[in-house]
Amino acid sequence: MPRKIKIFDTTLRDGEQCPGASLNTEEKIEIARQLARLNVDTMEAGFAIASPGDFEAVSAIAKLVKGPRICSLARAKKEDIQAAWDAVKHSDKPRIHTFLATSPIHMEAKLRMKPEKVLKTAAEMVAFARSLCDDVEFSPEDAGRSEPEFLYKVLKAVIEAGATTLNIPDTVGYTTPDEFGKLIASIIKHVPEIKKKNITVSVHCHNDLGLAVANSLAAVKNGADQVECTINGIGERAGNASLEEVVMAIKTRKDFFDCETDINTKEIYRTSRLVSNLTGMLVQPNKAIVGANAFAHEAGIHQAGVLRARETYEIMHPADIGLTKSKLVLGKHSGRHAFADKLKEMGYELSEEHLEKAFKKFKDLADKKKEIEQRDLEAIVADEVYVVEERFVLEEVHIDSGTNVTPRAKVRLLDNGKAIEATKEGAGPVDAVYKAIDAIVKAPSSLVDYTIQAITGGTDAQGEVTVRIKKGDCIYVGHGASMDIIVASARAYLAALNRLLAA
Ligand code: KIV
Ligand code: ZN
């Protein structure tokens, strides 16, 4: 019988730690609900002690999201562990995840602790966590660069103190698959208490050398039974092992791994889009599994092969990750009912108010564009659903630009219903529009990045603009989609500014 591999998602903790991916509580809850649909075994909802906002988000998720275990990270300190417990205790399946570094460099340079002190603290803090919660995970941080003999000692001590999961992190993405696989096998061999007490062995790999998924899979092959990962592989520096790659590798190569997960793979694509939309971290087109080109067959010879027998070039079925046929039968004559049904089929259940607004946008688009594709509908939903209370609304944008013209933009916004106009020149049309918006909104910030993508193929495609702006340490994301890329740019910038103002 295939071995079950538990999937521990840390998108909302390690993923959210990556520069510029910060999410507000509502967005975290939205992602958490989607992770529950994806059927992850455990989700790390945050780092409760990090800030009041983090605490609020972890406890809200623990209260609202049913199905997976809800976990909070905590340093090996009483106040962290207590905060983690106070936040996760509302879940019917709570977990505390505490960690302490065990590598020579981390113990000396970061913790300034002798190994004996690390050993004692790890055991004491696990015992404290266990006095609060039946489910305790311990991570020896930077295990990949720790002395194996010391690692075994620490792992034995924390099992004795009550840890139920041992998570082995390659914190800096330093190891290679062969090494990391051997490390996991050696831990299982030298810590016999793991088998005796039925302790879960977990792995947590970072992607600094691009090996996070390969290392995680090597660990699975060598006996690990939980993999920690994030959607789209987001996370500290080069990110974490990507959930979709780990899961689809285990599913597609069941013959090799003889393992399976409980992930509902049909929710993968939608989860990836949601995380990308809310964090503003775009997915590269050639990204395995969820990239725009992952199932595209451009070369004629490939197309011919796929048409005759899909398996010639396709090792997975697009439907397995929830990619349905992109062309939709909806057209400009489709009614509200058909529209709502289609959204439901795609997994979106909108409130009456959001549905009304989304339907209006769909009608406007269908008037201009012959074929409305699934991605068009996703962009409409993203524009409608993931917006905060809008103080400023775009009424009109008009530009003069072209060869031998200094770009000039006139923008009219409604500020709580009152119209305000500004005209500005800029280095390019987008610069001019953003300067005019700045003159009205007066919320100083810096533009961190601006990206534009054609949502579908064809010259009549909608352009989707994503901007990230920064004020202090906070990043705010905005999206805008339109067939006119200047309008899309203005909407995206305004959406980000509205978020900044709402915060
Ligand atoms: O990378 C790491 O070591 C971590 C631990 C806290 C598990 O994220
Ligand atoms: Zn990590």
Side-chain angles (χ1 to χ4, degrees):
M1 196 166 127
R3 205 157 52 90
K4 152 104 192 251
I5 303 298
K6 296 175 220 170
I7 297 297
F8 175 116
D9 178 275
T10 182
T11 304
L12 294 173
R13 199 278 297 170
D14 218 327
E16 213 243 354
Q17 263 170 245
C18 76
S22 53
L23 300 160
N24 63 34
T25 299
E26 287 73 44
E27 291 165 335
K28 286 183 187 173
I29 294 172
E30 185 78 24
I31 291 178
R33 288 203 160 115
Q34 180 56 28
L35 291 172
R37 277 182 222 119
L38 186 65
N39 206 27
V40 300
D41 295 277
T42 303
M43 72 176 82
E44 191 159 53
F47 194 172
I49 194 123
S51 71
D54 280 64
F55 183 87
E56 177 197 299
V58 180
S59 26
I61 291 170
K63 282 178 197 153
L64 297 171
V65 179
K66 301 290 166 223
R69 265 174 204 290
I70 309 294
C71 169
S72 168
L73 186 67
R75 286 167 301 183
K77 293 178 179 215
K78 273 198 164 169
E79 60 274 28
D80 277 43
I81 294 171
Q82 187 66 54
W85 173 242
D86 291 341
V88 295
K89 68 181 178 198
H90 308 288
S91 165
D92 39 15
K93 291 194 242 161
R95 173 177 292 181
I96 298 174
H97 175 193
T98 186
F99 70 100
L100 191 60
T102 49
S103 65
I105 177 146
H106 275 232
M107 290 191 289
E108 272 162 46
K110 187 180 79 170
L111 299 176
R112 296 182 192 283
M113 273 179 164
K114 295 268 179 246
E116 303 73 55
K117 174 94 171 122
V118 167
L119 181 66
K120 189 164 172 284
T121 310
E124 281 172 5
M125 290 305 107
V126 166
F128 176 59
R130 195 52 210 270
S131 72
L132 302 170
C133 180
D134 283 347
D135 189 330
V136 175
E137 173 168 326
F138 175 77
S139 295
E141 193 190 6
D142 204 16
R145 293 188 299 170
S146 299
E147 303 282 351
E149 291 301 328
F150 180 59
L151 199 52
Y152 307 150
K153 256 198 209 169
V154 173
L155 296 176
K156 284 179 188 199
V158 296
I159 293 178
E160 186 61 34
T164 44
T165 298
L166 301 179
N167 177 47
I168 311 302
D170 180 17
T171 303
V172 290
Y174 179 74
T175 63
T176 65
D178 195 41
E179 275 172 331
F180 197 64
K182 282 185 180 142
L183 175 66
I184 298 305
S186 80
I187 287 173
I188 294 172
K189 180 168 166 212
H190 289 95
V191 186
E193 294 80 355
I194 290 177
K195 283 248 159 74
K196 261 190 244 149
K197 296 199 174 174
N198 204 14
I199 303 292
T200 298
V201 175
S202 168
V203 289
H204 175 113
C205 298
H206 278 272
N207 206 28
D208 299 66
L209 292 174
L211 294 172
V213 171
N215 285 348
S216 306
L217 293 172
V220 165
K221 197 71 186 156
N222 282 279
D225 24 43
Q226 173 177 285
V227 176
E228 301 201 354
C229 41
T230 60
I231 301 297
N232 300 335
I234 64 171
E236 283 276 9
R237 307 180 308 278
N240 289 64
S242 122
L243 180 148
E244 59 279 8
E245 292 177 28
V246 169
V247 167
M248 291 311 287
I250 291 174
K251 182 176 164 82
T252 310
R253 295 305 313 277
K254 194 168 168 185
D255 59 320
F256 178 74
F257 291 106
D258 195 20
C259 292
E260 58 194 13
T261 71
D262 282 346
I263 292 295
N264 176 2
T265 61
K266 291 201 159 49
E267 292 290 336
I268 284 180
Y269 178 70
R270 197 154 86 84
T271 317
S272 162
R273 297 291 318 151
L274 179 69
V275 169
S276 172
N277 272 328
L278 293 187
T279 58
M281 309 275 298
L282 301 185
V283 173
Q284 81 208 47
N286 60 326
K287 162 89 173 62
I289 318 294
V290 290
N293 295 348
F295 291 99
H297 301 281
E298 280 295 328
I301 187 169
H302 289 197
Q303 285 177 354
V306 168
L307 283 178
R308 276 187 214 132
R310 184 179 63 79
E311 293 78 8
T312 44
Y313 287 100
E314 243 179 42
I315 59 167
M316 292 164 278
H317 203 296
D320 286 350
I321 62 153
L323 260 176
T324 52
K325 277 203 158 176
S326 58
K327 296 272 187 292
L328 291 179
V329 280
L330 290 185
K332 68 178 189 179
H333 300 296
S334 308
R336 187 181 283 92
H337 204 69
F339 176 72
D341 277 356
K342 198 75 224 174
L343 289 188
K344 217 171 185 174
E345 191 188 305
M346 288 165 63
Y348 297 111
E349 287 195 38
L350 305 194
S351 68
E352 268 307 308
E353 188 199 340
H354 281 140
L355 187 65
E356 194 54 42
K357 283 194 187 161
F359 183 63
K360 189 173 171 314
K361 279 206 168 147
F362 161 72
K363 282 289 190 189
D364 288 349
L365 186 64
D367 269 346
K368 297 183 199 131
K369 191 169 187 275
K370 257 214 314 265
E371 287 173 335
I372 307 282
E373 302 183 21
Q374 180 168 323
R375 285 284 285 111
D376 289 313
L377 289 193
E378 280 169 5
I380 290 175
V381 174
D383 263 16
E384 268 327 307
V385 181
Y386 312 130
V387 290
V388 293
E389 192 74 8
E390 285 179 299
R391 172 169 158 195
F392 289 96
V393 178
L394 181 69
E395 258 257 297
E396 193 191 324
V397 53
H398 176 89
I399 55 159
D400 290 322
S401 79
T403 43
N404 305 323
V405 181
T406 302
R408 166 193 285 262
K410 186 176 101 182
V411 170
R412 189 162 63 240
L413 305 183
L414 294 180
D415 176 2
N416 286 324
K418 181 171 155 251
I420 314 179
E421 244 179 57
T423 301
K424 289 280 170 194
E425 289 184 348
V430 174
D431 185 43
V433 169
Y434 285 14
K435 284 193 168 122
I437 291 178
D438 282 341
I440 302 172
V441 174
K442 297 189 177 70
S445 63
S446 52
L447 184 67
V448 179
D449 56 39
Y450 166 100
T451 35
I452 181 159
Q453 281 183 321
I455 288 183
T456 55
T459 47
D460 67 348
Q462 290 194 84
E464 182 177 44
V465 174
T466 303
V467 298
R468 293 195 295 160
I469 61 172
K470 186 169 184 182
K471 180 161 190 186
D473 281 343
C474 292
I475 299 267
Y476 304 91
V477 180
H479 297 280
S482 169
M483 291 177 78
D484 183 317
I485 56 172
I486 296 299
V487 175
S489 303
R491 282 193 187 141
Y493 189 49
L494 209 52
L497 286 170
N498 277 323
R499 273 168 183 267
L500 184 157
L501 294 170

